[in-house]
């Protein structure tokens, strides 16, 4: 018989939540998970009872999700407001609805995974985190707030993925505020803290920083990550602030197209403020200090897959952006010079009207694919469309103008790398 569900992990499909779910299962707990995108998580962790629910949705009904639950671990969070994210919706209003649901369902224990340094964190991220933690403190629940620093994990997402990519940068290691203190914690230690928090006699009604006692700067982290990846040493170079500001502006812009870049302005502001914390209280909770950067890297040796990921991470936006631009320009050129484009078809026996119609249709299709690739929601369809349209172009040319295969400028041959690049984009598309 299936065990009754006792522990609910909100955001159990994320980087921290995934580690918490795995640790709970390993200790024999029955686990439920909840989040917006849990379809892949259901394949990865079939032992978990998954619920698709959005913390920011005012109409979210928590009662069916909380049925049979005795403790909740909230790992859900957002970095910055955008079309798919609402800081107030997730950190404040959504948390308040979840807390009210727990009180109505009789759930007592509530573990909130927040973030180290939110007491001084600038902007809306820190403000909403503080307000959400205060909301939990005012509740009648048996609560505990855990505040991890920069989380290291075998998997990488967001900021941790960006750090690996910067560490693997050729020749130099670019960094913004390289001297700023950034204290770290392993995802396995966050999961261990959650397990300890669920045991009898665990602390309650307090906030505990989960950070290593070993002080580290951003430059330290990047240098050691580079060595961990098996790459030759390279100097850490401070990125000028105006360059970071331009990058953050671009990242904020593409966020409105559905792309969640870790280089958005909130992340840059967090780096400027550092990620400080006091690891003393974590010693009492865990019975030992939080493992530092050196110990974590030694316990999780990297392989070639980590080096591939680090090198390809920054190539993903370049690949998607280049494909979008290539197809958009290709379509616009066809519209700007329809007669020249149609001459390729009239030479094969097409009438002028048929040739112009084909050029118009092909150009509009190219433009549509370029625009669709720029938007996260339609990017997958666009990339497959690029492969299909390229195949159709090549089939048509082979049928009506096979001589173009021998064109000295390689007008047909050059379309093959573009189709292959679209397949590379498909392979890189998923964030987690």
């Amino acid at each position: 018989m299936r065990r009754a569900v006792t522990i609910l992990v909100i955001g159990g499909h994320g980087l921290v939540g995934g580690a918490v779910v795995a640790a709970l299962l390993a200790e024999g707990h029955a686990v439920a998970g909840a989040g917006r995108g849990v379809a892949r998580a259901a394949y990865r962790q079939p032992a978990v009872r998954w619920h698709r629910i959005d913390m920011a949705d005012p109409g979210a009904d928590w009662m069916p999700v909380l049925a049979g639950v005795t403790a909740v671990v909230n790992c859900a969070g957002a970095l910055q407001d955008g079309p798919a994210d609402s800081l107030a919706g997730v950190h404040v209003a959504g948390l308040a609805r979840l807390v009210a649901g727990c009180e109505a369902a009789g759930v007592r224990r509530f573990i909130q995974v927040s973030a180290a340094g939110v007491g001084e964190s600038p902007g809306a991220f820190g403000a909403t985190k503080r307000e959400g933690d205060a909301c939990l403190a005012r509740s009648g629940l048996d609560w505990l707030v855990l505040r991890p620093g920069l989380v290291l994990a075998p998997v990488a997402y967001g900021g941790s993925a960006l750090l690996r990519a910067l560490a693997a940068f050729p020749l130099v290691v670019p960094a913004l505020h390289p001297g700023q203190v950034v204290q770290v914690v392993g995802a396995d230690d966050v999961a261990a803290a959650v397990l300890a928090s669920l045991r009898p006699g665990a602390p309650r009604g307090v906030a505990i920083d989960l950070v290593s006692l070993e002080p580290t700067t951003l430059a330290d982290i990047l240098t050691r990550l580079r060595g961990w990846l098996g790459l030759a040493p390279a100097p850490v170079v401070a990125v000028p602030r105006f360059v970071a500001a331009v990058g953050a502006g671009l990242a904020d812009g593409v966020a409105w197209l559905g792309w969640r870049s870790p280089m958005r302005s909130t992340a840059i502001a967090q780096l400027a403020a550092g990620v400080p914390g006091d690891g003393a209280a974590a010693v009492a909770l865990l019975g030992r200090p939080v493992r530092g950067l050196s110990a974590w890297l030694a316990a999780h040796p990297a392989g070639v897959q980590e080096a591939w990921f680090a090198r390809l991470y920054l190539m993903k936006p370049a690949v998607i952006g280049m494909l979008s631009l290539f197809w958009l320009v290709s379509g616009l050129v066809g519209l700007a010079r329809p007669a020249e484009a149609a001459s390729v078809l009239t030479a094969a026996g097409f009438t002028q009207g048929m040739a112009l119609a084909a050029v118009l249709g092909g150009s509009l299709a190219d433009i549509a694919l370029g625009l669709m690739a720029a938007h996260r929601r339609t990017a997958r369809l666009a990339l497959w469309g690029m492969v299909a349209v390229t195949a159709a172009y090549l089939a048509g040319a082979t049928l009506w103008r096979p001589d173009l295969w021998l064109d000295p400028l390689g007008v047909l041959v050059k379309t093959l790398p573009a189709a292959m690049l679209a397949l590379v984009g498909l392979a890189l598309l998923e964030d987690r």
Side-chain angles (χ1 to χ4, degrees):
M1 294 179 60
R2 186 181 179 87
R3 297 168 296 172
V5 170
T6 56
I7 312 296
L8 172 66
V9 182
I10 314 297
H13 56 303
L15 185 145
V16 173
V20 171
V21 165
L24 289 169
L25 290 173
E27 197 165 89
H29 291 283
V31 182
R36 285 188 301 185
V38 297
R40 290 183 181 272
Y43 293 120
R44 291 171 178 149
Q45 289 284 19
V48 176
R49 178 183 166 190
W50 292 99
H51 302 269
R52 186 177 182 276
I53 191 167
D54 186 352
M55 280 278 288
D57 181 5
D61 183 4
W62 285 102
M63 298 313 291
V65 182
L66 293 167
V69 168
T70 57
V72 169
V73 181
N74 180 29
C75 300
L79 177 66
Q80 187 168 323
D81 286 320
D85 295 304
S86 166
L87 292 176
V90 175
H91 297 161
V92 184
L95 179 62
R97 287 188 293 269
L98 176 57
V99 167
C102 289
E103 291 174 331
V107 178
R108 292 287 301 148
R109 189 59 165 160
F110 195 107
I111 311 300
Q112 167 85 338
V113 180
S114 185
V118 293
E120 298 79 31
S121 182
F125 174 78
T128 55
K129 277 288 190 182
R130 291 191 294 270
E131 189 175 349
D133 291 351
C135 170
L136 181 61
R138 292 191 299 268
S139 74
L141 300 181
D142 176 12
W143 60 272
L144 175 68
V145 175
L146 301 176
R147 291 176 172 168
L150 175 68
V151 178
L152 305 171
V155 297
Y157 174 71
S160 61
L162 178 61
L163 289 179
R164 293 191 189 189
L166 294 176
F169 208 80
L171 303 179
V172 298
V173 178
L176 182 67
H177 306 293
Q180 195 61 268
V181 172
V182 177
Q183 290 181 268
V184 303
V185 59
D188 45 359
D189 272 351
V190 178
V194 169
L195 292 177
S197 302
L198 294 170
R199 293 176 186 136
R204 59 199 63 215
V206 295
I208 297 176
D209 288 341
L210 294 178
V211 295
S212 167
L213 297 175
E214 173 191 348
T216 51
T217 64
L218 183 60
D220 294 332
I221 295 170
L222 290 170
T223 299
R224 294 195 212 176
L225 279 175
R226 187 175 180 89
W228 177 70
L229 292 168
L231 303 177
V236 176
V237 177
V239 176
R241 293 194 177 190
F242 79 90
V243 174
V246 171
L250 292 173
D252 288 348
V254 299
W256 293 97
L257 295 174
W259 303 98
R260 294 180 178 179
S261 169
M263 295 179 65
R264 285 176 288 175
S265 54
T266 296
I268 300 302
Q270 288 297 122
L271 281 178
V275 184
D278 181 1
V283 176
L285 176 65
L286 292 171
R288 58 170 175 79
V290 169
R291 295 184 182 91
L293 176 63
S294 299
W296 189 90
L297 293 176
H300 300 84
V304 68
Q305 63 271 25
E306 282 79 18
W308 277 22
F309 175 87
R311 286 170 169 152
L312 288 171
Y313 186 77
L314 293 178
M315 290 300 298
K316 174 183 170 179
V319 166
I320 301 298
M322 182 58 66
L323 284 169
S324 176
L325 182 64
F326 171 78
W327 285 83
L328 187 61
V329 170
S330 175
L332 291 173
V333 169
L335 291 182
R337 304 182 65 182
E340 291 88 337
S343 65
V344 176
L345 297 176
T346 55
F350 283 64
T351 66
Q352 186 69 15
M354 291 175 59
L356 288 173
V359 168
L360 177 62
S363 296
L364 292 177
D366 289 357
I367 292 171
L369 289 173
L371 294 175
M372 288 170 63
H375 199 289
R376 177 62 184 86
R377 182 168 293 182
T378 54
R380 179 174 296 278
L381 181 60
L383 293 172
W384 278 120
M386 291 172 184
V387 175
V389 169
T390 300
Y393 285 162
L394 293 177
T398 301
L399 181 62
W400 288 295
R401 289 292 308 272
D403 59 295
L404 291 178
W405 282 106
L406 299 178
D407 187 284
L409 296 180
V411 293
L412 294 186
V413 175
K414 289 177 181 177
T415 63
L416 295 173
M420 290 302 297
L421 192 62
L423 292 175
V424 171
L426 284 166
L428 299 177
L429 196 57
E430 295 301 329
D431 292 318
R432 58 182 179 185

